[in-house]
Amino acid sequence: MPRRRTSSSSSSTGSTTGTTAPTTAPRNRTPQPVRIRRRSFGDFVKAFFAFLALAVLLVGVPGALATQIGWPLPSGVPSLDWLQQEITVETFLNILTVVVWLAWAQFTACVLVEMKAALSGVGVPGRVPGAGPSQLLARQLVAALLLVGATAASFTPGLSQLGQGGYDAHHKPTVASAQQTPGFFAQQQEQAADTAAALAEQASHAASHADAGGSTAKQGDTKYYRIQPPEGRHHDSLWEIAERHLGDGRRYKEIFELNKDRIQPDGSKLSEASLIRPGWIMEMPGDARGGELVEMPDEAPHVSPDVQQQIADYAQTGDHAHGGGSGAQGGGHEHAGGGATQVSVPEQQRPAPDTGHQQATGVGAESGSSFGLPEALLTAPLLAAGLLGALGRRRRQALWQSAFGAVGGRRGMEPPTPSGDAQDVQDALLVGADPEGVRLLDRSLRGLAASLAEESRALPVVYAAWLSNGDLHLQLAQPAGKPPAPWQQGQDQTFWMLARTDAERYEDVDTAAPYPGLVSLGTMDDSRLLLNLEAVPGIVSLSGREADRAAVFASVAAELATNGWSDRMTITLVGFGQDLTPLAPNRIRHLEDVEALVETMEAETRQRRGALGAAGHDSVLTGRTGPAQHTRWAPHLVLLAAQPSAEDAVKLAELAADASRLGIGYLVGTETGDLPGAAWEMEITGQGKLLAPLLGLELDAQLLPAAQQRAVVELFVEADPENRPEGSPANRPPFLVDISEQGRPAVYARLVGPYEIIGLDTPDGERSALLHEALALLLLHREGVHPRVLSSALWPRGVTDDVRNALLDRLRDWLGADPDGTPRLGTDGSGRLTLAKSVVSDLDVLRSLYHEATQGKGVGSRAVRGRLLTDALVLVRGPLLADRPEGRYRWLTHEIVDAQLPLLVADTGLALCEFHMEKNRAEKAIEALNAALRTAPADERLWHELLRATHATGDTSRLTSLATDLIGRSGARGLPPRTEALLDELLPTWRDAIAAVG
């Protein structure tokens, strides 16, 4: 949950006071002036008309009813005869008058409730029963009336429905609104809640100490907690430790202050509350509860001597060791060395798909930092997953285009191996990506849309989504009723929440993506914010230095272009120095200047308004749940990094006024921070903080700096075969082996088919499977594997450095050394893990044989070519790692070897078929093609050559039988056009013949 700023009043209780109040000083921000919007003439006009409307509705309506119609109810008690009388016009008017009086009374109550909440600035306005539209109208009129007053801060346009905290039974009502699931908060509400939070927190601490009888305080015990190793994807955090042992996660700051900058057993220090490591020791406040309470050091038999010594040494550091009190930090208790110690066993935790991966990948930061992996991508799991998936699709597309566009096969064309910054960025994508989090987010949103469609309900307007502690929270623009199961009501009526366990039960559904405009902006503690750009009621402005703004714009553009929770969309970029089009040519388009943008958006705005009106929809959201959901109402997101002129800014503001209804979003950069029509104003600081004071946001911004942006684009450009110069030679395989008798390897792994290793003893114990998987990953990447990439592949939910290093030591021992003493597992100059040339796989041999046959010795010798191709085809025993256990080798989803191997086998079969057909050996050619089809059954080229070779035998019935088999394999789709054309040439009567056979 993101942290909220706390009142400075709490910090006034220093260590010498002896009180129990924790240290809750305000967080240090980069000093930024709060920008107050000056009241315009239009604001006063709106306030005047709002006053008139309220006067008419509150005074004029009852006055008119009283003077014009009078008392509508009967003067006496109704009798049975009265009920049997004919209904006259007067009776109908009286009934209608009663209804109007009731509606007036309800609206008056709404106005009083909203006025009270607006003037007090504290708490959530009460809900008048059955008064949804009436209360919304009252809220808007009150907001417009108070817009010219000091209380207008809580009525910022577009935010009046946002972030009003609900009541939590476990906390004091006065602080509930500031301590719930993250949201957007008006500045005035936040200040009031902060003050109330400080007072309530002091009261709650005093009460808890009184309930405890003062036993802990009297004893003066000092307690410690040892950070536990990760369990699956979950990692310990100070918030959860405080929640388990102090009863309130917000008290994590007390633990942080007690332990800040103290030397840990591994020699490092705690400097950031979000960066803790397994094995560290945390001194706990004296009122900590839960876990195992033990006496240290002699009365803790279940605590190892090493840990006892570490805690004893750690106890000698800190303020208490020098006679200073730690009341504020530690709850006000005086600490005495050698007191009772708490070594807690971690309880079961909820997994966190959005943040757990970052914590897991950050564990080894101290050992991996020397390799220079860009932190911006390591801490952006959704962006990294989108880029990695898009890059894999681009490389597969390049392989297929190369295969089916070349005459006689690919001739060994291999994807280029990245180097330098591009290699670092690729490794960072592999480490940082969270594809499971993307999959759950996509299924959850589509499942919600499908459920609402089944209930004939429209999609609610969603301003933002928070991924927090494993759960998904949708922040609605206004209350939308009870969410469909398994979704639950969140902290108030403007939040819908889905727990991770419920999200995992969702299956793929055939429905359009409901909120494709969601994009990550950054994190606040353990929560990740995704803003729905297309739903913002106006322009989102971003101020700050040009380079910092560009990093935010690049991150937003890259994620929108490649994310996995969107279908179709258009992203228009203006003012970008680096062309991002290669990331998604079908989504991204660049415009030269703001003038071209205004012209384009004026035309599209008119077109969308007309289309919505013709379709009978009030917004794109209603269209996305209708019959045309898959073909219409895709969002158009405009990212304008350049500062628009004053005239252009006004035009954009006019266009953006109705943009949210049309599915158009605007993110505009500004140097001054003063942009007309900006509904939400944000600022990026030089320290990477994304600030929005009026929204109550202070995020660690998600960025894509210029260097990483160039490297990402380079990866996509190099993957495009169209960028390869005409007539350039085919890329060599990344690793060629000596295929002669003298090149016999010391270790030979068979990966093509069932996994076997020759030359090594089978490792003992449960780690055998892990060692085999690590070796397979290294064999498929002869260019080297970053240690953090290896650990991320083997332990996708995270692992500590000591576990990873222990595995590498066992892997080195298992592989051994060459006769000259060189270890078979080494490292290159960049620190990446590499295998010696004496460790070879059958895939290496297969690539080498094909390369030598088509580009080496086989080119000048027919006999050599035939022998090499035959030997290569013999190596193929099935698909890659055919017997791999379920649940392991998931990193293969990021690889393209599953596409490379079938194409390589098909190329080998085609080349051997050509070799035999040169001598009219059709049967041998058919044998080679059938062998290749067992591994590449979907390769159309193999079937075409099989038809030609079968035709060469002169056996018409055999050719007809093959055509029949092909039709059966094609199913309802039918034969591909080129296959039909080939059959028309080889067997003109094939349709009649097949019909006769059928």
Side-chain angles (χ1 to χ4, degrees):
M1 184 181 294
R3 52 183 178 265
R4 305 299 308 154
R5 291 179 296 164
T6 54
S7 174
S8 59
S9 60
S10 300
S11 63
S12 62
T13 58
S15 60
T16 61
T17 64
T19 64
T20 61
T23 298
T24 54
R27 296 183 59 212
N28 292 329
R29 295 192 185 195
T30 302
Q32 299 292 337
V34 177
R35 199 172 289 108
I36 304 299
R37 190 171 75 87
R38 286 176 288 183
R39 311 302 176 220
S40 63
F41 176 73
D43 293 334
F44 287 97
V45 172
K46 292 179 182 178
F48 174 72
F49 282 109
F51 174 78
L52 288 182
L54 287 172
V56 170
L57 293 173
L58 296 180
V59 181
V61 170
L65 291 174
T67 57
Q68 301 299 321
I69 298 180
W71 185 252
L73 298 178
S75 57
V77 178
S79 63
L80 182 62
D81 295 338
W82 181 82
L83 295 176
Q84 293 176 346
Q85 292 178 1
E86 181 181 359
I87 297 177
T88 64
V89 174
E90 182 180 359
T91 304
F92 177 77
L93 289 176
N94 287 337
I95 295 174
L96 184 61
T97 303
V98 171
V99 173
V100 175
W101 273 108
L102 292 175
W104 172 83
Q106 184 187 58
F107 178 76
T108 303
C110 294
V111 172
L112 293 176
V113 168
E114 294 295 330
M115 186 71 74
K116 176 182 179 298
L119 293 176
S120 65
V122 179
V124 181
R127 183 181 181 188
V128 179
S134 296
Q135 190 161 5
L136 179 60
L137 175 60
R139 185 174 304 172
Q140 293 172 343
L141 292 175
V142 171
L145 181 61
L146 299 182
L147 187 63
V148 295
T151 58
S154 61
F155 291 91
T156 302
L159 297 179
S160 61
Q161 306 290 334
L162 287 180
Q164 301 174 3
Y167 177 82
D168 188 343
H170 299 291
H171 301 287
K172 298 295 181 183
T174 53
V175 300
S177 64
Q179 302 296 343
Q180 292 288 349
T181 303
F184 298 145
F185 294 81
Q187 188 180 34
Q188 185 179 11
Q189 288 177 310
E190 181 180 355
Q191 293 172 350
D194 287 344
T195 304
L199 297 175
E201 197 166 343
Q202 294 179 17
S204 65
H205 290 170
S208 65
H209 295 161
D211 295 339
S215 59
T216 304
K218 292 176 182 179
Q219 296 170 4
D221 294 341
T222 302
K223 301 176 182 178
Y224 296 92
Y225 177 85
R226 187 173 176 84
I227 304 300
Q228 300 297 317
E231 292 183 356
R233 194 185 183 94
H234 170 73
H235 288 249
D236 248 347
S237 68
L238 292 186
W239 178 281
E240 292 174 334
I241 294 170
E243 196 170 53
R244 293 198 303 270
H245 301 295
L246 300 177
D248 188 348
R250 291 169 290 171
R251 295 184 64 188
Y252 77 92
K253 295 181 181 179
E254 299 177 42
I255 306 175
F256 174 73
E257 293 297 335
L258 280 172
N259 298 275
K260 182 180 179 182
D261 295 330
R262 294 170 65 180
I263 302 297
Q264 292 291 337
D266 61 358
S268 53
K269 297 180 181 180
L270 174 66
S271 58
E272 292 288 342
S274 59
L275 297 179
I276 59 176
R277 300 172 186 163
W280 278 9
I281 297 167
M282 294 289 117
E283 181 178 344
M284 301 290 289
D287 61 335
R289 292 290 184 272
E292 298 181 9
L293 295 176
V294 297
E295 294 295 330
M296 289 295 292
D298 300 325
E299 299 182 11
H302 61 288
V303 178
S304 69
D306 291 341
V307 175
Q308 293 181 30
Q309 186 60 45
Q310 289 177 2
I311 294 178
D313 294 341
Y314 192 75
Q316 303 305 313
T317 65
D319 294 339
H320 68 280
H322 306 287
S326 59
Q329 287 98 347
H333 307 294
E334 294 182 6
H335 301 290
T341 303
Q342 176 180 355
V343 182
S344 301
V345 178
E347 303 169 5
Q348 183 177 2
Q349 301 293 326
R350 292 184 300 174
D354 55 305
T355 57
H357 194 85
Q358 298 170 52
Q359 295 175 0
T361 57
V363 169
E366 76 280 6
S367 64
S369 60
S370 61
F371 299 116
L373 295 188
E375 197 70 22
L377 292 172
L378 293 176
T379 56
L382 304 184
L383 170 61
L387 288 171
L388 195 59
L391 182 61
R393 291 190 295 271
R394 183 66 52 82
R395 287 173 172 171
R396 285 181 173 85
Q397 182 183 11
L399 283 173
W400 295 328
Q401 290 177 351
S402 169
F404 290 97
V407 178
R410 287 186 307 125
R411 296 304 181 196
M413 188 275 189
E414 296 286 341
T417 301
S419 59
D421 289 344
Q423 187 177 18
D424 290 338
V425 162
Q426 179 173 276
D427 287 341
L429 294 178
L430 290 168
V431 174
D434 183 14
E436 179 66 10
V438 172
R439 185 183 67 87
L440 289 179
L441 176 61
D442 181 44
R443 287 186 172 183
S444 300
L445 296 176
R446 293 180 193 267
L448 174 64
S451 299
L452 290 172
E454 290 177 1
E455 299 177 6
S456 299
R457 296 171 60 185
L459 288 167
V461 177
V462 169
Y463 277 154
W466 291 90
L467 291 171
S468 179
N469 294 327
D471 301 333
L472 171 61
H473 302 259
L474 295 184
Q475 192 164 355
L476 313 183
Q478 58 188 13
K482 182 179 179 181
W487 289 77
Q488 306 170 22
Q489 196 82 52
Q491 65 192 57
D492 61 27
Q493 296 181 13
T494 61
F495 278 89
W496 285 1
M497 189 273 290
L498 180 68
R500 177 189 171 94
T501 53
D502 294 326
E504 290 174 339
R505 291 196 288 267
Y506 266 123
E507 301 291 339
D508 291 328
V509 293
D510 184 23
T511 189
Y515 304 112
L518 286 170
V519 64
S520 303
L521 290 185
T523 57
M524 184 183 288
D525 285 347
D526 292 334
S527 298
R528 180 170 301 276
L529 169 65
L530 288 85
L531 180 66
N532 190 7
L533 279 180
E534 68 167 337
V536 176
I539 292 175
V540 179
S541 70
L542 178 66
S543 60
R545 295 187 310 176
E546 183 177 1
D548 298 327
R549 296 201 318 264
V552 174
F553 274 99
S555 171
V556 170
E559 185 170 296
L560 288 172
T562 61
N563 71 43
W565 55 88
S566 301
D567 296 325
R568 298 168 53 252
M569 71 165 58
T570 300
I571 307 167
T572 298
L573 309 181
V574 182
F576 278 65
Q578 179 72 33
D579 189 354
L580 294 174
T581 303
L583 273 58
N586 295 329
R587 286 190 179 185
I588 294 180
R589 68 177 178 183
H590 279 256
L591 295 180
E592 293 297 329
D593 50 33
V594 181
E595 182 180 354
L597 173 66
V598 171
E599 181 181 353
T600 300
M601 297 315 300
E602 284 178 344
E604 177 148 352
T605 300
R606 288 193 301 269
Q607 187 272 334
R608 290 204 172 209
R609 284 174 179 162
L612 279 176
H617 298 303
D618 57 352
S619 74
V620 296
L621 289 180
T622 56
R624 285 185 186 148
T625 55
Q629 56 178 309
H630 292 291
T631 57
R632 304 173 67 180
W633 320 123
H636 186 165
L637 304 174
V638 176
L639 307 182
L640 173 57
Q643 169 79 41
S645 64
E647 181 181 356
D648 290 333
V650 172
K651 293 180 180 179
L652 288 174
E654 294 174 351
L655 291 172
D658 195 30
S660 60
R661 184 178 70 90
L662 305 176
I664 302 175
Y666 293 87
L667 177 62
V668 180
T670 172
E671 298 175 0
T672 62
D674 187 12
L675 190 68
W680 295 349
E681 296 181 350
M682 298 185 180
E683 179 179 0
I684 179 66
T685 70
Q687 293 73 38
K689 294 290 185 180
L690 189 65
L691 307 178
L694 293 181
L695 303 181
L697 291 178
E698 180 180 343
L699 303 173
D700 293 324
Q702 179 172 295
L703 307 172
L704 187 59
Q708 284 79 57
Q709 183 182 348
R710 287 191 296 269
V712 166
V713 173
E714 180 183 342
L715 287 174
F716 280 81
V717 169
E718 290 184 350
D720 193 344
E722 295 182 359
N723 293 317
R724 193 159 167 250
E726 189 73 23
S728 61
N731 293 342
R732 291 167 55 90
F735 177 67
L736 292 174
V737 302
D738 185 357
I739 56 177
S740 66
E741 287 294 329
Q742 292 74 23
R744 186 178 299 274
V747 178
Y748 182 66
R750 305 178 74 183
L751 305 179
V752 184
Y755 193 1
E756 300 176 14
I757 297 179
I758 302 171
L760 294 176
D761 295 331
T762 301
D764 297 328
E766 299 177 351
R767 300 186 181 92
S768 175
L770 206 58
L771 291 172
H772 278 74
E773 186 173 357
L775 179 57
L777 177 62
L778 291 167
L779 285 167
L780 293 176
H781 290 276
R782 303 305 301 233
E783 72 278 6
V785 176
H786 196 289
R788 296 182 70 178
V789 172
L790 178 68
S791 60
S792 177
L794 300 181
W795 295 282
R797 296 186 177 183
V799 70
T800 55
D801 283 351
D802 54 346
V803 174
R804 181 191 66 196
N805 294 334
L807 173 77
L808 292 178
D809 291 339
R810 283 189 289 269
L811 186 58
R812 287 191 182 93
D813 294 340
W814 181 42
L815 292 175
D818 287 334
D820 61 359
T822 304
R824 293 180 181 137
L825 177 62
T827 56
D828 62 11
S830 64
R832 289 175 171 81
L833 302 167
T834 58
L835 291 173
K837 293 184 178 181
S838 58
V839 183
V840 173
S841 73
D842 55 354
L843 184 57
D844 296 327
V845 177
L846 177 60
R847 286 169 170 160
S848 300
L849 288 171
Y850 177 78
H851 177 79
E852 194 67 23
T854 57
Q855 301 181 51
K857 297 179 180 178
V859 175
S861 172
R862 171 180 167 79
V864 172
R865 182 168 73 254
R867 176 174 56 80
L868 293 174
L869 292 172
T870 302
D871 292 344
L873 211 54
V874 169
L875 293 175
V876 180
R877 300 174 299 122
L880 188 75
L881 298 168
D883 58 350
R884 60 179 179 266
E886 185 177 358
R888 301 215 62 89
Y889 296 85
R890 292 183 178 178
W891 46 269
L892 282 172
T893 58
H894 300 316
E895 307 285 341
I896 64 169
V897 67
D898 59 336
Q900 285 178 299
L901 179 59
L903 289 174
L904 177 60
V905 172
D907 287 348
T908 304
L910 291 170
L912 189 56
C913 169
E914 180 184 3
F915 171 81
H916 288 305
M917 291 302 294
E918 289 175 355
K919 297 295 184 180
N920 295 321
R921 293 197 291 260
E923 293 295 340
K924 288 288 186 180
I926 292 173
E927 181 181 347
L929 292 169
N930 284 326
L933 280 168
R934 285 193 287 270
T935 300
D939 198 306
E940 188 180 356
R941 299 171 302 159
L942 292 174
W943 290 106
H944 289 174
E945 295 306 317
L946 186 59
L947 286 171
R948 292 189 176 96
T950 304
H951 177 264
T953 63
D955 190 340
T956 304
S957 60
R958 188 175 177 182
L959 183 59
T960 303
S961 176
L962 178 59
T964 304
D965 183 36
L966 272 174
I967 292 175
R969 289 174 179 270
S970 63
R973 295 175 301 174
L975 292 175
R978 287 186 292 187
T979 304
E980 283 193 1
L982 181 59
L983 277 174
D984 288 337
E985 177 186 349
L986 302 179
L987 187 64
T989 60
W990 66 276
R991 292 180 177 83
D992 297 335
I994 290 174
V997 173

